[in-house]
Amino acid sequence: MVSLRFPFLFSQPPKLPHRISSTTSSRSFSSATTAVLVAASAAASAAAIVAASKDPKHPFLQNALNSLLSSNCSSAPLWGSLSLAEKSSSAVVEYKNGISFPSILGDSRRLLGIGLRKKSIFGLKNIDVYAFGVYADENGLKESLGEKYEKLSTSEFKENKECNEDLIDNDIDMTVRLQIVYSKLSIRSVRSAFEQSVGSRLQKFGGSDNKELLQRFTSQFKDEYKIPRGSVIDLSRERGHVLRTTIDGKEVGSIQSKLLCRSILDLYIGEDPFDRQAKEDIEHSLASLLQK
């Protein structure tokens, strides 16, 4: 599987000027006249925007887009990694498909990184199946991993190969959120894909005698559930190594199994993840959080 780095943007409201500067001579106008001029200017700007929207090559629109891209590039690179240092409630967007992930789930599960699950069709074409975001409880991270990693420098943290294993093994509340991108994906396909991917991890970590556990997990994805583009599947590890599964906010099952939780998380942050760049972003976010 070829991993690509997927750019994202933090959604923020546009910054409006606090006031419009004026020349000394403008002070002679009355407040009523000033209001009329401002309204006329706003109307003219709106008309220009409408006209530009009807023609994608309109100079007005091109200039506006160029200005927006320039400002984004100067303030922060599009190809970047998430950082937990900023406690923002804004959403994070997977740039390629426009899928939005909240920065925080619940009270304290913070987004560590986002990526894409891609699938090859007959070895000829890769399709984006779903975007995913990996979340972890901030307090749990610091309690379980803080003492071990807080004093490491950034370079030492990067060279350390144990952090992801510690994140997978410790009883820290985590969620992997899947948001469906491929509009023709069926729940049967999801069930079949998990049978292969989770099944291989169960065998890797627990041996071959785990068919019943795999069947308990995959049977949660019943044919009655519809998953059009934009549907959300949450795979959450709760305290006690309980894996809770929800589809569009509805709980469809929970299973207490450390082996199953480990197998699920290994797909996204293990040695051979679905998206290697997402894994690197997650490691960068962990360093930012634990070194605070």
Side-chain angles (χ1 to χ4, degrees):
M1 182 61 64
V2 177
S3 297
L4 300 175
R5 190 169 192 179
F6 299 101
F8 46 83
L9 294 171
F10 283 87
S11 303
Q12 295 180 343
K15 295 182 179 180
L16 298 177
H18 294 292
R19 63 179 181 179
I20 301 176
S21 60
S22 58
T23 62
T24 304
S25 60
S26 67
R27 296 171 185 169
S28 61
F29 287 102
S30 66
S31 59
T33 303
T34 303
V36 171
L37 289 175
V38 172
S41 176
S45 298
I49 293 171
V50 171
S53 65
K54 295 179 180 179
D55 179 6
K57 296 183 179 181
H58 193 286
F60 178 91
L61 184 57
Q62 291 295 318
N63 292 336
L65 289 173
N66 290 336
S67 176
L68 177 60
L69 290 174
S70 297
S71 63
N72 282 334
C73 290
S74 62
S75 59
L78 291 177
W79 300 95
S81 55
L82 294 171
S83 172
L84 292 181
E86 296 297 329
K87 293 191 175 183
S88 172
S89 60
S90 61
V92 178
V93 177
E94 188 281 304
Y95 194 76
K96 183 179 179 183
N97 295 286
I99 303 297
S100 178
F101 289 86
S103 295
I104 301 175
L105 284 183
D107 295 329
S108 60
R109 293 192 191 193
R110 304 192 64 81
L111 183 60
L112 301 180
I114 59 178
L116 276 177
R117 172 62 166 135
K118 303 173 76 69
K119 190 71 175 177
S120 175
I121 300 179
F122 304 117
L124 300 175
K125 179 182 179 181
N126 282 331
I127 61 170
D128 298 338
V129 181
Y130 59 78
F132 64 86
V134 177
Y135 295 79
D137 179 75
E138 183 175 358
N139 295 327
L141 284 173
K142 292 180 178 180
E143 290 173 3
S144 299
L145 307 182
E147 183 176 352
K148 182 175 181 179
Y149 294 104
E150 64 183 357
K151 295 182 180 180
L152 295 183
S153 66
T154 301
S155 59
E156 290 174 333
F157 190 95
K158 188 174 182 179
E159 293 173 359
N160 191 293
K161 304 300 182 182
E162 298 179 2
C163 188
N164 275 7
E165 284 299 309
D166 288 339
L167 181 61
I168 291 174
D169 284 339
N170 276 272
D171 194 11
I172 302 170
D173 289 352
M174 294 186 66
T175 294
V176 180
R177 167 161 290 191
L178 318 180
Q179 296 204 55
I180 306 303
V181 173
Y182 186 53
S183 59
K184 297 181 181 180
L185 188 67
S186 67
I187 196 72
R188 183 174 300 179
S189 298
V190 171
R191 187 168 61 240
S192 176
F194 277 139
E195 286 174 352
Q196 296 178 24
S197 59
V198 178
S200 67
R201 295 318 198 270
L202 288 174
Q203 185 173 3
K204 175 183 177 181
F205 300 124
S208 59
D209 190 21
N210 290 290
K211 293 182 179 180
E212 181 182 352
L213 178 59
L214 178 61
Q215 196 277 332
R216 286 177 61 197
F217 171 66
T218 57
S219 65
Q220 297 176 137
F221 301 92
K222 297 179 171 53
D223 289 340
E224 64 193 71
Y225 298 125
K226 306 301 179 185
I227 49 170
R229 178 183 170 91
S231 297
V232 175
I233 299 174
D234 282 343
L235 305 173
S236 299
R237 178 175 66 184
E238 311 290 352
R239 284 302 175 101
H241 298 282
V242 174
L243 183 73
R244 181 169 60 88
T245 305
T246 64
I247 299 178
D248 287 331
K250 177 183 178 181
E251 183 170 343
V252 298
S254 61
I255 302 172
Q256 196 283 324
S257 170
K258 183 175 182 178
L259 174 60
L260 180 60
C261 290
R262 176 179 177 80
S263 298
I264 294 291
L265 292 173
D266 188 76
L267 297 173
Y268 303 95
I269 58 176
E271 290 183 1
D272 187 23
F274 287 152
D275 188 329
R276 291 191 179 278
Q277 186 56 56
K279 178 184 175 180
E280 290 183 16
D281 291 342
I282 290 167
E283 292 171 348
H284 179 86
S285 295
L286 280 172
S288 298
L289 176 63
L290 296 175
Q291 293 170 353
K292 286 169 60 177

